[in-house]
Amino acid sequence: MAQNHLMASRCMIILLIMMSLLLSMVCQSKPLTDSLYHKLLSLPIADILHVDSESTHAASVDFGLIVREIPAAVLRPSCPKDIVTLVAFAYNESSLPFTISARGCSHSIQGQAMAPDGVVVDMMSLGNKRRGTTVLWSWSLGHYADVGGQQLWIDVLEETLKHGVAPVSWTDYLYLTVGGTLSNAGISGETFRYGPQISNVYEMDVITGTGDFLTCSPDKNPELFYSVLGGLGQFGIITRARIALGQAPKRVKWVRMLYSDFSDFTIDQESLISHHGRDQDEALDYVEGSLLMHRNSDSWTSFFSLSDRQRLMSLVTEHELLYCIEVAKFYDGRTQTTVDKALEIILKDLSHVPEFMFEKDVAYVDFLNRVRVEELKLRRQGLWNVPHPWLNLFVPKSRIADFNTGVFNNIVLKKNITTGLVLIYPMNNDKWDDRMSAVIPDEDVFYTVGFLHSSGFEDWQEFDLQNKEVLLFCENNGIKVKQYLPNYNTEREWMEHFGSKWRTFQESKAQFDPKMLLSPGQRIFNHN
Ligand code: FAD
């Protein structure tokens, strides 16, 4: 009898909890969505605001396929003024401020371009390739391009090449937007010499979280300029960037060399990036590196001929883990006859495994657009739109050997689940501008390490657990890594990430987005 009574009261309590949860869900989301819907439809941008489920669902996924957050509406602007109208309304007039997120290609991993119950601004609707890029020249800057924030880097490349020029700093993959990569940093094998993409910007047009449309540069609104670069979308929406250009080369000598010894690998990589003057003939144009294992062989074999692949696989079997240095030297008609000699001199004292150096000669565009080939292959195999539990880190040079032992040997090899590319290459700290929001380790040289996992829909958590183990290993062993494309959940973690920059970051947020409307998907100021 007493037991029955106890059971009944337990059921009652559970029922009450469930009812209150349901009520709180209804009270939180419905009024916001309704109110948004009606107020937004009274604006002059009503006809480009889309609330149909096809639009909102499309804006609720990203490349990671791990997070899903449904917005209340999607704005498809036809000009920056449409975005100004939306942000100014949210800032000035709305009794219920709603969040707004610029969405480039949504190549984020953890929902960074999403706006739960807010408005996603589909930047791609701002313009196509023909309208987006203008190549100009001045005495002070030489060639430069004015580029829409929504532009894909591939379109910037195609347009600038018509004028015989091209940006000097790239990402590996070119189907990313200018605004999306400038909000992070934009890194690749050119970074050691030319700095990240954020170091190659002269000026920007930005719509701040107060709805102001401002032009900024190191001389004009400098606080906004430096905050926005690497600012994770927190301070404004970039609608135009003025990008540095250089003479475009025609072709590329593209070389890969294999190492079984990690120390030889890092000594050689660091020596190669030590020649990094922009006008230095003996400098390479591109230096990257990666891990070669049986388990991730799908991601690295395509570079090699069929006969070389067999030799390579035997070497991988022998050592379990190989390290690959990948370099490129660009050339044109002027340097065509000297490039081979120059490359020979640069590479002559390296300690790679003898007989394991492979060279290709490819067109400049094909080199820059190399990941597209892999993308199309994966799409054909149905392996592109799958979860991507990625982890990208910057590791100080002084601890990279410990990282190799603790992470590559003791976690990656032992777990044996790693798929996709694992990148590892060094960069020079002095090519980054400390006034910008991007965060890097406090050493002259640091490595980027990228675990670019692809997983199934059922097992991405396994990779996520490995990522957490890597981070825990670093924390427990005092390896002061910084996440690139960071993903944190608590304010404490963000404070640690930004370190001495946290205060400035907060102050800039208070100045340029005081109602914390922008890019809530980063979960910096909108975390739970
Ligand atoms: P989104 O995912 O749409 O947005 C990212 C963030 O930027 C969001 O917070 C969003 O609100 C904000 N944002 C977007 N547009 C704007 C804007 N105009 N103004 C202000 N904020 C904005 N990164 C590298 O550095 N180097 C690489 O080599 C590289 N390779 C990649 C390869 C692949 C296959 C993928 C999927 C990603 C790669 N990335 C690389 C990461 C990529 O640079 C970032 O994910 C970048 O944010 C993607 O750009 P996006 O246009 O898709 O941005």
Side-chain angles (χ1 to χ4, degrees):
M1 178 74 175
Q3 241 177 4
N4 282 350
H5 188 73
L6 199 66
M7 280 283 281
S9 53
R10 270 195 192 149
C11 285
M12 195 65 183
I13 292 171
I14 291 171
L15 199 71
L16 277 173
I17 292 174
M18 284 177 68
M19 276 174 65
S20 69
L21 267 176
L22 207 65
L23 200 69
S24 76
M25 278 163 71
V26 171
C27 289
Q28 264 174 25
S29 58
K30 198 153 173 265
L32 179 66
T33 308
D34 277 357
S35 135
L36 250 184
Y37 183 76
H38 287 112
K39 289 189 173 183
L40 290 175
L41 290 189
S42 68
L43 295 177
I45 49 172
D47 56 339
I48 49 168
L49 263 174
H50 299 261
V51 293
D52 59 287
S53 62
E54 201 181 318
S55 302
T56 54
H57 274 88
S60 72
V61 286
D62 62 17
F63 184 74
L65 282 181
I66 290 167
V67 173
R68 176 172 271 259
E69 299 281 11
I70 301 184
V74 176
L75 181 80
R76 301 220 173 94
S78 58
C79 60
K81 193 162 165 268
D82 293 337
I83 308 175
V84 170
T85 304
L86 176 79
V87 182
F89 170 77
Y91 177 70
N92 292 317
E93 295 173 40
S94 175
S95 50
L96 274 174
F98 52 89
T99 56
I100 296 169
S101 189
R103 180 182 197 260
C105 291
S106 207
H107 274 114
S108 295
I109 297 300
Q110 301 276 356
Q112 284 89 340
M114 296 178 194
D117 288 331
V119 179
V120 165
V121 179
D122 177 5
M123 296 298 289
M124 303 300 284
S125 69
L126 272 176
N128 57 30
K129 29 178 134 172
R130 273 175 292 118
R131 276 206 288 164
T133 301
T134 314
V135 175
L136 298 154
W137 185 89
S138 75
W139 282 108
S140 56
L141 302 180
H143 279 102
Y144 60 89
D146 275 343
V147 174
Q150 78 288 357
Q151 281 288 102
L152 297 181
W153 284 101
I154 183 70
D155 296 335
V156 177
L157 175 64
E158 279 176 7
E159 197 54 39
T160 52
L161 281 181
K162 290 179 191 162
H163 303 260
V165 286
V168 291
S169 179
W170 291 99
T171 47
D172 293 340
Y173 179 56
L174 304 186
Y175 291 75
L176 306 166
T177 67
V178 169
T181 69
L182 295 185
S183 297
N184 286 292
I187 56 167
S188 183
E190 293 88 0
T191 307
F192 81 93
R193 185 168 176 192
Y194 297 98
Q197 290 179 325
I198 51 173
S199 296
N200 292 281
V201 179
Y202 296 129
E203 186 180 282
M204 287 178 290
D205 287 340
V206 174
I207 299 164
T208 66
T210 53
D212 292 305
F213 182 92
L214 298 175
T215 298
C216 59
S217 70
D219 303 319
K220 196 172 182 182
N221 297 313
E223 295 87 0
L224 181 63
F225 181 77
Y226 292 118
S227 301
V228 165
L229 292 169
L232 306 174
Q234 295 305 302
F235 311 107
I237 297 179
I238 304 164
T239 57
R240 178 186 64 95
R242 180 162 288 182
I243 309 282
L245 302 176
Q247 285 305 313
K250 291 269 183 286
R251 296 193 64 83
V252 176
K253 297 279 179 188
W254 185 8
V255 180
R256 288 190 184 179
M257 295 156 283
L258 300 193
Y259 291 74
S260 55
D261 184 273
F262 187 71
S263 167
D264 288 344
F265 168 74
T266 51
I267 288 172
D268 282 358
Q269 267 194 334
E270 286 164 27
S271 143
L272 291 172
I273 69 151
S274 66
H275 305 284
H276 53 69
R278 281 194 175 217
D279 300 319
Q280 209 175 353
D281 279 344
E282 64 272 26
L284 287 163
D285 293 293
Y286 167 102
V287 177
E288 285 203 3
S290 55
L291 299 193
L292 273 48
M293 298 171 286
H294 270 296
R295 179 82 199 168
N296 72 345
S297 60
D298 282 353
S299 67
W300 55 262
T301 40
S302 62
F303 179 88
F304 306 98
S305 70
L306 280 178
S307 57
D308 286 336
R309 279 182 212 176
Q310 282 175 351
R311 290 202 300 137
L312 264 162
M313 283 303 189
S314 310
L315 197 68
V316 175
T317 307
E318 188 187 334
H319 295 279
E320 266 194 288
L321 172 61
L322 292 178
Y323 309 94
C324 173
I325 295 186
E326 177 181 41
V327 302
K329 182 91 180 143
F330 303 160
Y331 69 98
D332 54 22
R334 192 182 54 85
T335 47
Q336 195 172 354
T337 51
T338 53
V339 64
D340 282 326
K341 188 75 200 154
L343 198 57
E344 193 187 316
I345 293 170
I346 295 169
L347 304 182
K348 77 176 175 353
D349 291 326
L350 301 184
S351 312
H352 57 85
V353 183
E355 314 291 318
F356 280 88
M357 180 196 261
F358 307 87
E359 187 179 324
K360 280 186 183 183
D361 188 320
V362 296
Y364 177 60
V365 177
D366 294 340
F367 173 76
L368 289 183
N369 205 14
R370 61 200 175 277
V371 178
R372 179 67 164 178
V373 180
E374 302 301 319
E375 174 195 350
L376 295 177
K377 196 171 83 188
L378 290 170
R379 278 189 190 279
R380 280 194 298 275
Q381 297 169 339
L383 295 174
W384 183 254
N385 290 315
V386 296
H388 294 100
W390 286 11
L391 176 66
N392 286 279
L393 300 172
F394 291 146
V395 183
K397 168 188 145 176
S398 64
R399 303 303 304 277
I400 197 70
D402 299 324
F403 191 92
N404 175 55
T405 311
V407 175
F408 296 152
N409 289 311
N410 288 338
I411 299 178
V412 173
L413 274 186
K414 284 196 178 143
K415 275 195 172 331
N416 196 27
I417 59 167
T418 300
T419 52
L421 269 180
V422 183
L423 295 174
I424 165 167
Y425 58 92
M427 307 180 185
N428 295 303
N429 186 308
D430 64 4
K431 300 286 174 177
W432 296 64
D433 189 327
D434 199 37
R435 290 168 294 183
M436 295 174 186
S437 295
V439 179
I440 57 174
D442 188 19
E443 284 192 13
D444 290 349
V445 171
F446 61 91
Y447 281 77
T448 183
V449 177
F451 295 96
L452 310 186
H453 298 129
S454 297
S455 77
F457 284 88
E458 307 303 327
D459 63 352
W460 65 264
Q461 287 94 340
E462 219 183 314
F463 294 87
D464 199 42
L465 278 178
Q466 175 170 303
N467 292 343
K468 289 198 170 96
E469 197 175 332
V470 169
L471 291 171
L472 190 66
F473 167 81
C474 293
E475 192 180 324
N476 289 344
N477 290 278
I479 303 180
K480 294 196 173 4
V481 295
K482 295 289 178 193
Q483 280 192 39
Y484 179 55
L485 314 173
N487 169 40
Y488 296 111
N489 292 311
T490 64
E491 185 177 71
R492 189 188 62 82
E493 288 172 321
W494 282 112
M495 283 170 71
E496 268 174 32
H497 173 75
F498 283 107
S500 59
K501 288 189 181 180
W502 175 241
R503 199 164 156 186
T504 313
F505 201 83
Q506 276 184 310
E507 285 168 3
S508 297
K509 187 70 174 174
Q511 186 178 354
F512 300 116
D513 183 20
K515 290 197 178 169
M516 301 187 184
L517 307 179
L518 298 177
S519 287
Q522 298 279 1
R523 297 188 306 280
I524 302 174
F525 298 100
N526 315 65
H527 48 77
N528 297 322

